[in-house]
Amino acid sequence: MALSVPGYSPSFKRPPETLRLRRKRARSRGAAASPAPELPEPAPRRAALAAGLPLRPFPAAAGRGGGPAARRNPFARLDNRPRPVTQGPDGPPHGQHEAPGSVLDSNQENDSLWEETSPERTIVPEFFQDPKLSTELRCALQQSLVYWLHPALSWLPLFPRIGADRKMAGKTSPWSNDENLQHLLMSDWSVSFTSLYNLLKTKLCPYFYVCTYQFTILFRAAGLAGSDVITALISPTTRGLREAMKNEGIEFSLPLIEENGHKKKEYGTSLGPGEEQAVSDEDEEESFSWLEEMGVQDKIKKPDILSIKLRKEKHEVQMDHKPESVVLVKGINTFTLLNFLINCKSLVATSGAQAGLPPTLLSPIAFRGATMQMLKARSVNVKTQALSGYKDQFSLEITGPVMPHALHSVAMLLESSQSGSFSAGLYPHEPTAVFNVRLPLAKVLDKEVVHKDLANCGLHPKTLEQLSQIPLLGKSSLRKVEMSDYICNWRA
């Protein structure tokens, strides 16, 4: 007969604390832990090693499941997309722990803007591994993505404006049928436009854009693009716009036409009615003098003056809406152009989705009536094929009106963070590509004087040095920029 023991029960189990204590005690006594079983190498890797191909060491077990460690996305912390409320700016959602080396952003898209090109280089540089340095890099990138906009209407895409009627269709536009509201919008726009020009004139603003529904204007301060005076490039233009500028007394030139040798005269000088009629009569007499020599001038009907004028201006009409129609305005004529644009009624569309909407003003610095905006940046992770299978390729996609200073600032950041190796694919706004045309220069500027005069324009000194150089691309623009071992190459 079994003896009853006080406090004993057959279902009694020892508390887990005792087991844990014994485990710790066993380790403290020097019990040898069983070695982790080595993972067998995959068959393709064994075949590659047998063939003598150079492969990187097989990654050791890490992470949650003991499998290969996932490489960290270096751009995950630079993403400025709107995040859910439950997710912090630098970590996973509440209640979810991040595994070592895990990738938070796993969007599988292939239309990336910034890509890593060297498969032999580590994708995660030391610059990103230090949380403090990562924070500084993120702040520097956010500053590079800032631009200033007027007007600011969050429900309307205000860039680009050329061909944007389809994107704006169906959007709310309370000013389209309200003349008083249109007048107020244009009044505010005129104040902002004048403020920008005054900043440009005093060299506190390096450049700015005026984007209308028909053309785009680039105003540049004296010292940029190798010019010693303020310049304005307008593209594309039409014969009607050029005639209106002539009538206002704005002297301008067509750089691409003059460069090709088709025309060698100033287009801004307008003739009086009597002078124009005299020139037409002289040209007509010279054109038909050979008929009198043959004695058949009475048998052939002469064309009228209007037909002759249209025939002479045929080449000007043919270049409308093309890159060759780019117009250059220099010096004091830019101020006349300012007044012309403020008073020009055809600057604003009278019908369609953009009816009554003032042109868009884009600037790298703040100005009166402007609103600070940021370019959209998001990290993208794609799988690319390699010798041993597939590897992660991380990229940063930036969308919006990427102005030249922003492109140069981001390139300098990537040069530092990616150890001098990266590539960038660029998708420019085609009507603005012709702004890279070479300007006719009277003299070569001193770079030191230019940098001293534009020191307060808000640009980095290296960025200012790049923008002050003479453009060489002509009608084309940058399509790809690639840096390898701190040596930069580009393709237009």
Side-chain angles (χ1 to χ4, degrees):
M1 182 176 180
L3 298 176
S4 61
V5 181
Y8 173 78
S9 173
S11 62
F12 174 77
K13 294 182 180 180
R14 284 175 293 184
E17 289 79 2
T18 306
L19 295 177
R20 281 198 289 270
L21 289 175
R22 286 189 177 182
R23 288 195 194 101
K24 293 180 180 178
R25 196 176 300 116
R27 291 182 181 179
S28 63
R29 291 178 181 176
S34 59
E38 296 183 0
L39 295 176
E41 292 185 345
R45 185 176 179 83
R46 291 199 303 269
L49 291 174
L53 297 177
L55 298 179
R56 288 173 290 182
F58 194 72
R64 290 180 176 177
R71 292 189 295 179
R72 177 186 172 194
N73 186 353
F75 302 114
R77 294 177 178 268
L78 305 180
D79 201 322
N80 65 359
R81 288 179 296 174
R83 301 175 183 272
V85 179
T86 58
Q87 183 175 352
D90 296 331
H94 296 297
Q96 178 181 352
H97 301 282
E98 179 183 356
S102 64
V103 179
L104 294 180
D105 189 2
S106 59
N107 296 324
Q108 305 295 326
E109 295 192 14
N110 202 16
D111 54 345
S112 57
L113 183 62
W114 304 99
E115 299 177 354
E116 180 72 22
T117 57
S118 177
E120 298 300 328
R121 290 184 178 273
T122 173
I123 301 297
V124 187
E126 296 180 359
F127 198 87
F128 288 94
Q129 293 175 355
D130 189 350
K132 182 179 179 181
L133 295 179
S134 179
T135 303
E136 293 177 355
L137 174 66
R138 186 168 64 254
C139 293
L141 179 66
Q142 299 299 326
Q143 292 178 359
S144 301
L145 302 181
V146 170
Y147 66 97
W148 297 84
L149 173 75
H150 180 87
L153 306 171
S154 58
W155 68 93
L156 284 179
L158 296 175
F159 180 86
R161 294 291 296 272
I162 299 177
D165 290 345
R166 185 173 300 178
K167 294 182 179 180
M168 292 185 179
K171 304 292 184 179
T172 304
S173 54
W175 55 82
S176 58
N177 297 321
D178 192 340
E179 295 184 359
N180 293 330
L181 186 54
Q182 292 180 12
H183 179 72
L184 291 176
L185 289 176
M186 283 303 300
S187 177
D188 293 341
W189 180 85
S190 301
V191 172
S192 299
F193 187 21
T194 306
S195 170
L196 259 179
Y197 183 84
N198 290 333
L199 291 174
L200 189 82
K201 186 177 179 181
T202 55
K203 298 183 179 181
L204 296 178
C205 175
Y207 63 90
F208 67 90
Y209 293 87
V210 181
C211 308
T212 74
Y213 75 105
Q214 288 182 322
F215 54 86
T216 306
I217 310 176
L218 169 61
F219 283 86
R220 282 188 286 211
L224 294 189
S227 176
D228 58 342
V229 294
I230 298 177
T231 58
L233 287 170
I234 311 174
S235 176
T237 63
T238 60
R239 178 176 174 272
L241 177 62
R242 295 190 294 271
E243 289 293 334
M245 293 173 61
K246 289 180 185 179
N247 296 333
E248 291 294 327
I250 302 174
E251 296 184 2
F252 60 89
S253 60
L254 302 174
L256 291 179
I257 300 298
E258 294 180 356
E259 181 179 328
N260 296 334
H262 294 309
K263 220 166 190 180
K264 295 289 185 180
K265 73 169 187 176
E266 286 291 331
Y267 284 81
T269 57
S270 58
L271 300 177
E275 296 179 357
E276 186 176 358
Q277 182 68 28
V279 172
S280 301
D281 295 341
E282 292 177 1
D283 294 341
E284 182 182 2
E285 292 178 359
E286 293 178 0
S287 301
F288 299 102
S289 59
W290 59 277
L291 295 176
E292 297 179 359
E293 296 177 359
M294 297 179 63
V296 293
Q297 68 275 12
D298 297 332
K299 299 180 181 180
I300 298 178
K301 184 179 179 181
K302 299 180 181 179
D304 55 358
I305 299 177
L306 181 59
S307 301
I308 298 174
K309 185 177 181 181
L310 291 177
R311 179 170 54 85
K312 291 180 180 180
E313 296 178 349
K314 180 180 179 182
H315 68 280
E316 292 191 16
V317 177
Q318 287 179 345
M319 70 180 181
D320 288 352
H321 304 288
K322 295 181 180 180
E324 288 76 12
S325 66
V326 61
V327 164
L328 171 63
V329 182
K330 299 174 61 177
I332 193 61
N333 290 283
T334 57
F335 180 74
T336 311
L337 176 64
L338 168 73
N339 295 326
F340 168 74
L341 294 174
I342 291 177
N343 300 319
C344 182
K345 296 182 178 179
S346 61
L347 195 67
V348 179
T350 56
S351 61
Q354 303 188 49
L357 184 61
T360 302
L361 300 177
L362 293 173
S363 171
I365 67 164
F367 59 95
R368 184 173 178 179
T371 304
M372 189 185 77
Q373 303 288 334
M374 291 194 66
L375 301 172
K376 295 181 180 179
R378 65 169 182 172
S379 57
V380 179
N381 177 23
V382 296
K383 296 288 185 180
T384 57
Q385 193 170 5
L387 294 176
S388 58
Y390 290 90
K391 70 179 184 70
D392 291 327
Q393 188 173 21
F394 305 110
S395 59
L396 184 65
E397 182 182 80
I398 300 177
T399 56
V402 183
M403 288 185 277
H405 76 285
L407 176 62
H408 190 261
S409 299
V410 172
M412 288 193 299
L413 288 175
L414 291 177
E415 176 185 359
S416 176
S417 62
Q418 299 299 316
S419 302
S421 292
F422 71 91
S423 69
L426 310 176
Y427 305 93
H429 183 45
E430 291 299 333
T432 63
V434 74
F435 289 158
N436 292 317
V437 65
R438 182 187 180 96
L439 305 181
L441 304 177
K443 61 179 180 179
V444 179
L445 300 180
D446 188 359
K447 293 183 178 180
E448 295 183 358
V449 176
V450 172
H451 295 169
K452 183 178 179 180
D453 293 341
L454 295 172
N456 297 323
C457 69
L459 296 183
H460 192 275
K462 292 184 178 180
T463 304
L464 183 60
E465 181 179 358
Q466 291 292 329
L467 296 180
S468 61
Q469 296 181 4
I470 301 174
L472 300 175
L473 294 176
K475 296 186 293 183
S476 60
S477 60
L478 293 179
R479 301 290 176 175
K480 186 175 182 180
V481 178
E482 184 174 357
M483 177 173 285
S484 179
D485 293 331
Y486 297 97
I487 299 177
C488 185
N489 296 314
W490 53 269
R491 185 172 71 246

